[in-house]
Amino acid sequence: MDASRALTGLCALLLAVGAGAGPASAAPGDPAPANPAPAQAAPANPAPAQAALADPALADPALADPALADPAPADPAPGSSTTREFGNGPERHEVAATAPEIRGSAATPLSATPDQRWTPKRQGYPRQTDLRVYPQDPTDKSIKLGLVPYHEIAPRLNALQDASDRVSAEVVGHSALGRDLYLVTVTAPESAAEAARQDRWRALIEDDPRAAARDRALHRGYKTPVWINANIHGDEWEGTDGALRVIERLATATDRATASLLRRTRFYVTVTNNPDGRIAGTRVNGAGFDINRDHATSSQPESRAVRDVVIGTQPLVMLDEHGYTGATLIEPATPPHGQNYEYDLYIKHALPNALGMEAAVKQLGLPGTESVDIPFRDYAPGDWDDWPPIFTPMYAIYQGAVGHTVEIPWQVNRGVYASLPVEELRRRSAVNTAVATATIEAALTYADTHRASLLAGQIEQFRRGWAGAPSPRIPDGFVPGFGPEDRYSTEFPRAYVIPVGAGQRSAPAAARLVDHLVAHDVRVTKARRAFSLNGRRYPAGSYLVDMHQPKRGLANVLLEAGRDISALVPQMYDISGWSHRLLWGASVDISRTAAPRVSTTPVKAASAVGSVTAGKRRDLALQLRDPADVRATNALLDLGIKLRHTDAGTVVVPAAARPEAAALARRFGVRFSAAPRGSAGTPFSRPVLAAAVAADELFALREMGFEVRPVSTALLNAGADLSGVDTLVVSSGLSYAQLTPTGKASVDDLLSRGGVVTRGATGAAFNAAAGLLPATAVPGRGDANGVVAVTNTGAVIGLDALPHAFVYSPIWFAGSGFTVEQRYAADPLVAGHWLPTGPGVGGPDQAAGQASVVSGRTARGGRAVLFGTEPLFRAHPKGLYAEFARALYWSAG
C-alpha cells in the first residue's frame, strides 16, 4: 500500500469519525467548493441533515429564492487539490417549482424503454444524415464563453459530412425537452461488406470470446472503437468544443498517420449529452435530473441514448468530459472499487492511459495545466470512488470499456459565470477546451498504440463471464500504488430467477425489471416448462438470469443486495447501496451454486402480464403494490369511474367498469382480481397535489399519473392558489417559518381541510414549524445512504409493503401521539455507507427499531404522513412508489 494513501486515509478516518463530518469529497464531474481543502481531509462540520433540523430556516439551501436553486461555489484555484460537494446536496434540493421547463413537463411512461432504441445501421461508412438545423438562440449560455452554441452544432456537422467521407453524423435520441442528441463517427470509409465484417467481429467478441481470441483475422482487422461522451452536465461545456476540434482535425488532416489511424479505429463522439442544460447553463437536464446519476436506472432519455451507444459500439476506451475541479483530474478512481468489475483488466490500462493524458495536458504549458490529479495515485480511499454504476464511465466498464472521467480545470459556471468579465471567462474556456482536446487526443493515441492488449482484455472480460470464472486475486504492486485497500471482488451467484404467477409479488414490477435488464444487454431467458431449483417449484414462463454470460458484472451490480462498506472507507460521495432486486418490487430468487435444468428461450421483451380474472358481474380489486397499479388507478379516476378503498392498499372497481379496467390492464400490465363479495369500502377521488419537491420526486409523481402543482415558499408568498388542492407534499423548497401572512394563510387553510405528506429534513422542519404531528425528527449522519431493512407496522403503508427501503440522510421519529407505519430493523443497513455522526450519535445502531415513517391526525384536523426514508429518490426505488402513493390517497381522504 502506498504510504501517502495510507496516511491520508487514516487522517480522513479520524476526522470523519471524531468530528461527525459529512463527506470530504464528491463524485465524478462535480465542481469544487470555495477554497478547496486537501482531498484527504474531511471538513469538521455537522452532517447536513443535522444542521438542517437544528434550524428550520436552513432545512433547504433553495428555500424561497429561485436564484438559490443552483448554488454557486466560489472559484476554485487551478492547480490546487480538488474536493467534491456533498452528494445529496444542491442537485437534490433544487426546487422543481422554480424551473419553468420542469414545472410544465410531463413524465415519461412507466417502462424501461419508452422511447425508440438506437442501434447501429447495417451499412457501410460514411453513414451521413442531413441533421435538422435549429433556429438561432441568442440566450444559449455557451455563447458568452466563446463556445459553440447548440444551434451551431448541426450546421458544423453537416458541413463536415459534406467535406469529408470520414465523418458520419446521426441522431441517437432526444433530450428531455426534445432536442436531438448527436453521435458522430469518424473512421476511414468502409464498404457494406467491410462494415458487416466489423459487426460480426464485435458480436463474436461478446458472444463467443474463446473463438474471438483465436481469430487472427479479427486481431489484425478489428477497428479499435473509442467513445467520447461530452457535456453530460450542461454547465460543463468545453468537452463538446474539444471533441469538435478533434473531429475536425481527423476529418480534414492529410497526413499519412491520420489516414492510417482511421483505418484502424472508429472514433465515436456523443457531442453533447445534455443540450437542454448546455443552452440553459444548468447541470441538470430539462427534467431536472443529473444524467450522470441515472445510468443504473435509465429514467431519462439522455442516459438511455448513451446506454444504446455504448452497447452498439462496444468501445475499448471511453472518456466522459467534465469540469471544473481546480486542477485537471483524470480517473482511475480511489477505492472502494466496484466489486463486480474485472478490475485487473481495467486498471492495467486505466492508469497508464491516465498518465499519458496527464503528460499531454502538462505539455500544453497553459495557465492552470501545470498539475494533474489522478485520484488512484493521489487521493485517499473514499475521496473519489468508482463504487456505484450510476456514473457514465463506471457503467461503461461493465459494458467492456476502460472508462475515465476527465475534469477540466478552470471554473466558468454558476456564480463565476455571472461575476467574471467576459474576457476572463473566454480565456478560461479556451484553456479548458485545449485540455479537453489534449485528453481526447492522448486517449486516441493510447488506444491505437495498445489496441492488441485492450482488445484481448475485453475478450477476456467476456470470456470470464461466460465461463463463470472467479475474478483473479490482484497482487500488491500489480500497477504502481495498488495495495490491499484496492482489493474488491465478489462471488457471483450461479443464477437469478424471476418467477411468474403465484410466486410473483408484482407482475408489472417483474416485467419492468426484465425489460430493463434486456435493454442493458443483460441476457434473460424464459423457461419453456416448469422446473425445480433449490427445493422450490417454478412455473413455465419464469425468467432466468444465468450468470454465465458476458456481462455478468452488470447483471450482478443491478440485482445483488450490495455490501455494507461503512468500515472500509471513512466517507463516500454518492449512493453506496442500491438494488433493483430489493427495491423495484419484483420477486427475485438467488441460486448461489446451481443452474436450473430447463429448456429456455431468449427474451427480447417481457411477456404481457395484465389481466382481469374476475367473473363478468363481479367487482374488481386492484392491489397498490407498484407504480403501474397507481397509474391505472389514477387513469380510472380520470375517466370518472367511482372507486372505493377497502384499505390503504386495495382499490375496488365497479363491475360496470370492466371494459376500462381491461384496457388499462393491457396498457400498464396490471392485474385486476375479483373483489370479495359485499366489499363496501370508502369512495375516493384522485387527489390534487401541491408539491414543494425536488425534480426527481415531481417526475415520479407525474409518472404515476398524479395531478401536481409545484409550489415553493416564494410562489406561495406571491399568492399561489391552493384552492382545489387536496394534499400538500413537502420535501424541498418550502419553509413554513418563511411564509408571509398571505402565504401562511393559504397553507393554513389547506392544512385545516386537507392532508400533508413530507419527506426528509425539509419536510420534518415543516411538520415541526406548522405543529402537525408531535413527532420529533432525529437525523442520522448527513451522507449516510443505502438500502435498509424495515418492518412494516401500519395500515397506511401496509403490512405487505417491501421489507426494504432506501435512505439518504436518514431520519427517524421519536415521541408519541402518532401511528408508526414503518420501523428500521434491528440491524438496518443492508448495503451502503452509514457511520455515526459522533460516538453513539446518528448511526445505524441508534436508528435500529426507530420509526422511519409515521402517520396521524394533525392538530389542525387533517391527516399527515412523514417519511424519514427516500421512497422516490432519483426515480430509482420503484418498488417504494406505491407506499408513497398510498400515503397520498390516505392523507387526502
Side-chain angles (χ1 to χ4, degrees):
M1 178 178 181
D2 183 82
S4 63
R5 295 175 78 186
L7 178 59
T8 53
L10 177 61
C11 292
L13 178 61
L14 292 174
L15 281 169
V17 175
S25 57
D30 290 341
N35 302 318
Q40 69 270 21
N45 58 350
Q50 184 178 19
L53 290 182
D55 180 358
L58 300 177
D60 195 307
L63 281 174
D65 186 354
L68 298 180
D70 192 13
D75 186 16
S80 65
S81 185
T82 59
T83 63
R84 297 180 287 175
E85 292 177 338
F86 174 56
N88 199 24
E91 84 282 359
R92 178 66 176 145
H93 291 295
E94 287 184 3
V95 186
T98 65
E101 69 277 12
I102 298 172
R103 186 165 66 242
S105 66
T108 56
L110 279 164
S111 169
T113 54
D115 43 6
Q116 186 174 357
R117 293 287 306 275
W118 175 83
T119 55
K121 299 175 182 177
R122 294 187 176 275
Q123 63 185 73
Y125 281 97
R127 304 171 178 180
Q128 296 176 331
T129 304
D130 187 14
L131 303 174
R132 66 171 167 171
V133 176
Y134 286 80
Q136 290 192 7
D137 183 356
T139 69
D140 190 311
K141 293 296 182 69
S142 59
I143 295 173
K144 182 178 179 179
L145 302 173
L147 302 173
V148 180
Y150 176 73
H151 60 259
E152 287 186 9
I153 295 176
R156 286 198 181 201
L157 296 178
N158 285 337
L160 279 170
Q161 291 182 106
D162 290 340
S164 174
D165 61 1
R166 299 171 175 175
V167 179
S168 303
E170 58 188 307
V171 174
V172 292
H174 299 89
S175 71
L177 298 182
R179 296 185 173 97
D180 291 343
L181 302 174
Y182 309 119
L183 173 68
V184 174
T185 306
V186 186
T187 193
E190 301 172 18
S191 68
E194 289 169 334
R197 182 173 60 176
Q198 292 291 323
D199 290 342
R200 289 194 298 272
W201 280 338
R202 184 176 65 247
L204 189 69
I205 291 166
E206 180 179 346
D207 296 340
D208 193 351
R210 289 183 180 275
R214 296 190 302 265
D215 191 326
R216 294 182 179 180
L218 184 157
H219 286 268
R220 287 193 306 270
Y222 185 60
K223 285 190 170 183
T224 303
V226 178
W227 172 43
I228 309 300
N229 191 46
N231 199 204
I232 191 169
H233 290 149
D235 63 352
E236 298 166 15
W237 289 273
E238 294 93 342
T240 293
D241 298 78
L244 286 171
R245 187 175 291 181
V246 177
I247 292 169
E248 290 165 356
R249 184 191 71 77
L250 295 174
T252 59
T254 57
D255 60 287
R256 286 187 175 182
T258 300
S260 179
L261 170 71
L262 294 179
R263 284 195 296 271
R264 297 187 299 269
T265 307
R266 283 186 184 171
F267 178 56
Y268 300 101
V269 182
T270 37
V271 180
T272 169
N273 194 193
N274 185 0
D276 299 347
R278 183 176 186 83
I279 293 169
T282 60
R283 175 186 181 86
V284 297
N285 72 345
F289 274 71
D290 185 333
I291 307 166
N292 202 39
R293 303 293 182 273
D294 193 50
H295 290 293
T297 306
S298 299
S299 72
Q300 299 303 296
E302 296 91 343
S303 63
R304 293 193 290 272
V306 297
R307 171 202 66 195
D308 296 344
V309 167
V310 70
I311 292 171
T313 63
Q314 204 165 292
L316 297 179
V317 173
M318 73 82 58
L319 305 184
D320 204 26
E321 294 282 346
H322 288 259
Y324 309 96
T325 49
T328 301
L329 181 146
I330 304 170
E331 290 176 339
T334 69
H337 308 301
Q339 63 185 13
N340 292 284
Y341 297 145
E342 304 296 337
Y343 195 71
D344 61 319
L345 302 177
Y346 168 75
I347 195 62
K348 71 179 290 185
H349 288 293
L351 184 56
N353 190 23
L355 293 171
M357 288 187 272
E358 175 185 45
V361 170
K362 288 184 175 181
Q363 286 172 6
L364 293 172
L366 297 172
T369 64
E370 300 84 358
S371 66
V372 173
D373 291 343
I374 299 176
F376 178 88
R377 179 190 68 190
D378 300 328
Y379 291 0
D383 279 352
W384 193 283
D385 66 90
D386 56 11
W387 179 251
I390 59 175
F391 311 120
T392 319
M394 282 68 259
Y395 176 77
I397 294 172
Y398 291 112
Q399 295 286 356
V402 176
H404 301 259
T405 295
V406 175
E407 301 276 356
I408 52 183
W410 284 97
Q411 185 180 0
V412 294
N413 63 354
R414 304 190 184 183
V416 168
Y417 182 94
S419 64
L420 288 181
V422 171
E423 295 77 8
E424 172 61 11
L425 289 172
R426 293 190 172 189
R427 183 194 70 79
R428 292 179 173 208
S429 281
V431 174
N432 288 338
T433 301
V435 170
T437 304
T439 59
I440 295 168
E441 293 278 15
L444 265 174
T445 299
Y446 184 89
D448 185 53
T449 304
H450 299 275
R451 58 188 301 273
S453 181
L454 285 162
L455 176 59
Q458 187 178 80
I459 291 172
E460 172 62 9
Q461 177 173 334
F462 295 154
R463 184 203 68 79
R464 290 179 189 177
W466 279 115
S471 297
R473 186 182 188 279
I474 308 175
D476 292 352
F478 178 76
V479 296
F482 187 95
E485 71 279 9
D486 294 298
R487 197 168 289 117
Y488 284 80
S489 62
T490 191
E491 292 186 10
F492 295 99
R494 185 60 184 83
Y496 290 96
V497 182
I498 304 171
V500 299
Q504 179 54 262
R505 180 183 184 276
S506 169
R512 184 187 307 108
L513 179 58
V514 168
D515 285 341
H516 185 80
L517 293 170
V518 171
H520 285 260
D521 204 25
V522 172
R523 301 184 183 215
V524 183
T525 61
K526 185 164 60 173
R528 292 176 180 268
R529 55 179 175 77
F531 64 95
S532 296
L533 182 64
N534 300 324
R536 178 173 175 180
R537 190 72 176 167
Y538 294 93
S542 292
Y543 298 102
L544 308 176
V545 181
D546 188 328
M547 291 297 287
H548 286 194
Q549 63 170 290
K551 297 179 181 177
R552 63 168 180 184
L554 181 60
N556 210 46
V557 80
L558 295 178
L559 292 174
E560 68 177 351
R563 181 175 178 182
D564 179 354
I565 57 172
S566 306
L568 302 178
V569 290
Q571 74 279 321
M572 288 285 289
Y573 165 64
D574 212 290
I575 61 169
S576 308
W578 59 92
S579 176
H580 293 3
R581 176 169 64 86
L582 298 182
L583 297 178
W584 273 36
S587 299
V588 184
D589 294 338
I590 308 171
S591 179
R592 293 292 177 191
T593 59
R597 295 184 177 182
V598 63
S599 175
T600 64
T601 56
V603 174
K604 293 184 178 179
S607 302
V609 294
S611 62
V612 178
T613 59
K616 291 186 177 181
R617 296 183 180 180
R618 290 285 298 275
D619 286 350
L620 311 177
L622 177 64
Q623 301 298 320
L624 299 183
R625 291 179 173 172
D626 186 82
D629 301 323
V630 178
R631 186 157 188 179
T633 298
N634 283 330
L636 288 168
L637 292 169
D638 285 344
L639 293 172
I641 295 170
K642 305 298 183 182
L643 304 183
R644 309 188 303 275
H645 270 309
T646 56
D647 56 51
T650 304
V651 174
V652 176
V653 183
R658 184 187 182 92
E660 293 83 354
L664 292 171
R666 291 189 297 270
R667 180 180 176 189
F668 297 123
V670 300
R671 293 182 174 178
F672 293 88
S673 60
R677 295 188 183 278
S679 298
T682 304
F684 72 102
S685 58
R686 187 181 72 159
V688 176
L689 311 179
V693 295
D696 56 345
E697 294 168 311
L698 177 62
F699 181 90
L701 292 171
R702 285 178 168 164
E703 193 178 39
M704 289 187 285
F706 286 105
E707 180 182 343
V708 188
R709 303 177 187 177
V711 296
S712 66
T713 308
L715 289 175
L716 290 167
N717 286 342
D721 184 13
L722 295 181
S723 61
V725 171
D726 301 296
T727 295
L728 178 65
V729 186
V730 182
S731 68
S732 182
L734 178 53
S735 168
Y736 188 83
Q738 292 185 6
L739 291 171
T740 63
T742 297
K744 192 167 291 186
S746 181
V747 170
D748 287 344
D749 175 67
L750 174 57
L751 297 178
S752 67
R753 59 178 172 79
V756 180
V757 177
T758 76
R759 189 272 305 165
T762 299
F766 181 90
N767 173 71
L772 301 178
L773 297 182
T776 301
V778 181
R781 175 166 154 151
D783 64 339
N785 69 89
V787 181
V788 294
V790 294
T791 302
N792 298 297
T793 57
V796 175
I797 296 301
L799 301 180
D800 64 340
L802 288 180
H804 297 93
F806 185 79
V807 295
Y808 208 134
S809 301
I811 289 172
W812 54 95
F813 300 98
S816 59
F818 50 80
T819 298
V820 175
E821 293 289 332
Q822 185 184 84
R823 294 184 183 275
Y824 292 107
D827 185 12
L829 187 62
V830 173
H833 192 273
W834 187 351
L835 291 173
T837 305
V841 178
D845 289 345
Q846 289 71 50
Q850 300 299 316
S852 56
V853 183
V854 299
S855 68
R857 288 279 184 179
T858 72
R860 301 165 182 260
R863 296 178 175 183
V865 183
L866 315 180
F867 283 84
T869 59
E870 290 271 1
L872 306 180
F873 187 82
R874 295 181 187 161
H876 165 56
K878 298 183 185 299
L880 309 180
Y881 281 22
E883 298 173 17
F884 202 83
R886 290 182 182 191
L888 294 172
Y889 289 133
W890 179 82
S891 65

